[in-house]
Amino acid sequence: MPFLSFRGRSDAPAAVALGLFVLLLGWFAVGLFHVWPYPVIGWLPLPVLSVITVYECVRTARSTELDAATRSFWASLGAACTILLPGTLSAMYDAFHGPVVSQQLSMRTQLIFGSALVVVLWALLRLPTWQRTRGDWLRFVLDTGIVLLTGGVLAWHFWISRIDFSEAPNATPRSLVVIMTVSAISLIAFVKVAFAGAGRLDRGAVHLLSAGVALAASTAVVAPFIVDKPHLSTSLLAFPMSQMTAMFAARRQRLNKTTPEAERPGRRFSMAPYLAIALLYAVLLEVELPRGGDEATMALSVTALTVLVVLRQLTTLRDNAGLLDTVDANLAQLREYQKQLDHQVTHDALTGIGNRSAYAEEISARLAGGEPFVVALLDLDDFKVINDRYGHNTGDALLQTISRRLRERLRAEDTVARLGGDEFTLLLPGLSADETEALLRELLAEVQCPVLVGGHEMVPRISVGVTASSPDDTAGELLRRADVAMYAAKRNGGGRWTWFDPIMDQLADSDARLGSDLRQAIVRDELFLVYQPIVELPHGRLSGVEALVRWRHPEHGLVSPAVFIPLAERNGQIVELGRWILEQVIQQTARWQREYGADAPAKVSVNVSARQLNEPGFPAEMEALLSAAGLDPARLVVEVTETAVLGTGVALDVVRRLHELGLSIALDDFGTGQSSLSLLVDCPVTWLKVDKSFVDGVTSQSPQAVIVDGLIGITRGLRIQAVAEGVETAEQAERLHQAGYRFAQGYHFARPMPASDVELLLSMRETRQSQLT
């Protein structure tokens, strides 16, 4: 049994108690055949056993994982065992204070033991399941009376009346009857609680306590047989049995701290009264039949009549039992429905984990308890794309997978809940900042593993906001801080966690105001496009242009794209903004084509975000815009980042569809993402734009220069045109040309300019060509 296992130093009290118990039993057994010269030695372990039992009861009473009623019961039992400690000392005094050793217990000692028993009974009857009706109490009293009367008559007839108490001065009929009566009442109470249910009090623990009372009471039977052995006493058996069972009951309760609430059983048919009647009538017949005469005849008649009445009552009860069973079945069904309803109220229907309301209650309870903990808010990056592309069934299956991975990886004391949509939240108690980060690191590694859902392989990415609790927090404030930190993690690229910092509130307010202004920017005509030339090396002749968006804010002036583009990505405005940019670029490119013909820019590049690529129907939308403007698709270059094309695989399919429409595809900021070289094989790339971070080191003996030299060889082998971005000096331009690069862009050649300046360049080039001809 688990409560008897010894798993280290924490079980030393149990080992000591068990050793003392075996010692006492051995001492008593040997004492039956041997007179101990110093009998007081056999009594010395009793106070130690009492102290150990009190210690175990107090430990159980202080267990925070038990409910209040259960802790109160074990505190009362600990108080009763504390009372037994002076009772033990009083019994020792009774035995050894006189000139000779005595087995008689004084009235003082009996009152102390009685007080301890009253405390235990009071604790039992105060349990929640004993808050019963008057009828329940009346039946309890009647059952107790029946058992006491029957047991008393049987004990007197078959046992007490046949003992010669003149040979046993220390064992009187009065003392035996008192002991048996009190023990019987205690035992009945324990049995009633064990079978009727005791809230979250472990039933096995109640059975152990019942056994302890029964064993302690049964030692009274030994008293007449050790009267000639004054060095022995029934207390040497009764004390250890009651203390040991109480100690192991307390330990069992601690180990079974999650014992479920016992349901109140249905109506039970009690055979105790009928069995008592049968036993008493059997005794009556045994006494009267040998005598014969009228008394025997009357005894037989009364017995027969009683049997007939009982049989008739039993048939009536049997008829009523069917109706009661139906009622009980309906009540059981209602209780089951109530359980299901309670579960639905506190659990998420899709994933089976806790929901927002249950999580808020858990946070409030932890805050009330004063225990520090960490709240982490998790959000799937680009989950809307999965729903739109593959359908909500696939999205739901992914959420279930994420939920399962979270449950499997977290500790038993951690809490996970789904707040709604693709948001999950964690409650992590008892962790330091370093331990929290270690757990989150392992958690993200597990959750972000590739998953096959509905035949589609996906790599989920999760952004996490983390904050620690403080004494004056509320559930709403903790979730708000975690939410702010989570969006900060998304701003930093996603797939990571970020701790909350108070400065984030200021940034969030600023973002909210700027985001609101950005929603009106298109309508208010605050956005405009500029174009940065892409030139041929080494002479710098115009080869194409890249379209870039700018925002002239009425209060803040020019807002950097590094600020408002990520903001649009986070709040979803990038789709509307990207659509507007595409319309403007396509119309401008078509106008240049009509006005300048062959002298128009051969290629016009436009950036397309990951959110746009994952929008349903994006290729069809692009085709419609090209057709409406009458633009040759070969003149337009769609620039995408490596990160945009990776992930669910949806974006890669869209890029291939765009390529089939005749558009050129450029990988922008190449070398800063993941799996770059594999994309050159899988993605229909026409242009490769080498990131400025590599170009900056091209004129020195640096790793960047080695990469720049290596990339030109790869692009030549794959027949891809390479464009060096961010060229700022003539030395860089010359070095790139020597390495084999034919195209470049950067401030060394030209800054981004309005369309009118591009037209001026085109006019100048057209004039020079006409002069040459």
Side-chain angles (χ1 to χ4, degrees), residues 421-448:
D422 59 334
E423 283 190 339
F424 296 86
T425 187
L426 310 177
L427 191 153
L428 311 173
L431 292 181
S432 65
D434 291 341
E435 291 170 337
T436 299
E437 295 201 0
L439 176 61
L440 290 175
R441 187 178 299 109
E442 297 176 5
L443 194 68
L444 261 65
E446 175 70 21
V447 173
Q448 295 185 153

Side-chain angles (χ1 to χ4, degrees), residues 694-714:
F694 297 107
V695 173
D696 286 342
V698 74
T699 57
S700 62
Q701 299 296 322
S702 65
Q704 290 89 336
V706 175
I707 293 175
V708 168
D709 291 338
L711 285 177
I712 195 63
I714 294 174

Side-chain angles (χ1 to χ4, degrees), residues 68-83:
T70 304
R71 293 200 303 270
S72 176
F73 171 80
W74 289 106
S76 298
L77 189 62
C81 293
T82 302
I83 295 174

Side-chain angles (χ1 to χ4, degrees), residues 48 173 265 331 401 416 491 493 589 679:
V48 180
L331 290 175
T401 300
V416 57
R491 282 196 299 271
T589 305
L679 278 179

Side-chain angles (χ1 to χ4, degrees), residues 91-120:
M92 292 175 63
Y93 179 80
D94 294 339
F96 300 107
H97 80 285
V100 294
V101 178
S102 172
Q103 295 175 337
Q104 189 68 40
L105 296 179
S106 67
M107 182 60 66
R108 178 190 65 252
T109 304
Q110 294 182 44
L111 287 175
I112 294 175
F113 292 158
S115 300
L117 199 55
V118 167
V119 172
V120 175

